[in-house]
Amino acid sequence: MKKYLPIFLLLVAALPAATESPRVTRAVLTPMEKSLDGRISRLWEDNPLALMGPTRGVYLEGYGAVFTAEVNLVSAPLGLMAHTHTKEEKDRHRARKIERRPQLLKVLRTALMESAALLDTVPMEEQVVIVAFLSVYPWEDAKGLPGQVTLQAPRKKLLEVKRAGGAGLEAAIRVTEY
């Protein structure tokens, strides 16, 4: 019996590691996905197609939670016939995109801060990231406009900013545009 005791103790010690479930499950990520979908969808009344598909979240062990969404800042006029856009229409479309980019960033910053409380199983030192891919129509001039906007911050810093009523939000979040 004594010779089996060390093997038994080893198995008992290994059992919690074998049955341990992931810290951050789909059930933790889903509310943030839905929250971000709602925020983007309600951003502009004249653009019901602002969100081009559902937000997707993934947890990367040791890094944090990453959420991606494809956003259409300005919908193109739709018609049954092929439409050739005039220079004025293209210029107006571009100007609206430039105008709406800061509005999107403001909403994404707030969403990132609010997400820190929803993602309670993400370790404090890990990142929370939102990546917005900005759609571009084949006919538009996208020169100088980003195709991707990334916002990220450590969860701990986001919670501190939230407790401070949002003070210092811009400084807490790293924004990268490509």
Side-chain angles (χ1 to χ4, degrees):
M1 186 80 172
K2 285 184 180 181
K3 74 178 189 178
Y4 294 111
L5 184 60
I7 294 171
F8 176 74
L9 291 175
L10 185 62
L11 287 173
V12 169
L15 187 60
T19 61
E20 188 176 305
S21 61
R23 265 194 312 248
V24 182
T25 63
R26 287 292 314 147
V28 172
L29 299 173
T30 301
M32 174 57 186
E33 291 172 342
K34 292 188 183 315
S35 173
L36 195 55
D37 285 349
R39 288 172 191 265
I40 294 170
S41 295
R42 293 185 304 270
L43 197 51
W44 302 291
E45 285 185 18
D46 68 334
N47 188 5
L49 301 175
L51 187 64
M52 303 293 287
T55 297
R56 291 291 177 226
V58 63
Y59 175 70
L60 304 171
E61 186 78 35
Y63 180 77
V66 179
F67 298 89
T68 64
E70 186 172 358
V71 179
N72 185 12
L73 294 171
V74 181
S75 293
L78 299 174
L80 295 175
M81 306 296 278
H83 180 72
T84 304
H85 300 279
T86 66
K87 180 176 179 354
E88 291 77 26
E89 287 174 326
K90 290 178 184 180
D91 290 345
R92 227 180 359 263
H93 183 86
R94 180 178 173 75
R96 287 181 66 204
K97 270 193 155 182
I98 291 168
E99 174 188 313
R100 287 184 173 180
R101 197 186 113 274
Q103 296 167 2
L104 176 65
L105 285 173
K106 181 179 180 185
V107 165
L108 295 180
R109 279 188 183 98
T110 302
L112 197 65
M113 179 184 65
E114 297 293 332
S115 71
L118 292 174
L119 301 168
D120 59 348
T121 57
V122 173
M124 291 293 212
E125 69 280 356
E126 290 187 0
Q127 300 287 309
V128 181
V129 181
I130 297 175
V131 180
F133 299 101
L134 305 180
S135 65
V136 177
Y137 293 102
W139 50 262
E140 73 179 290
D141 175 17
K143 187 185 295 182
L145 292 173
Q148 175 182 321
V149 177
T150 303
L151 295 88
Q152 70 182 83
R155 182 170 173 258
K156 179 180 181 178
K157 198 177 277 191
L158 292 169
L159 286 172
E160 289 169 0
V161 168
K162 184 173 171 66
R163 276 188 229 108
L169 181 60
E170 286 195 32
I173 297 174
R174 181 173 153 217
V175 178
T176 311
E177 298 181 282
Y178 302 101

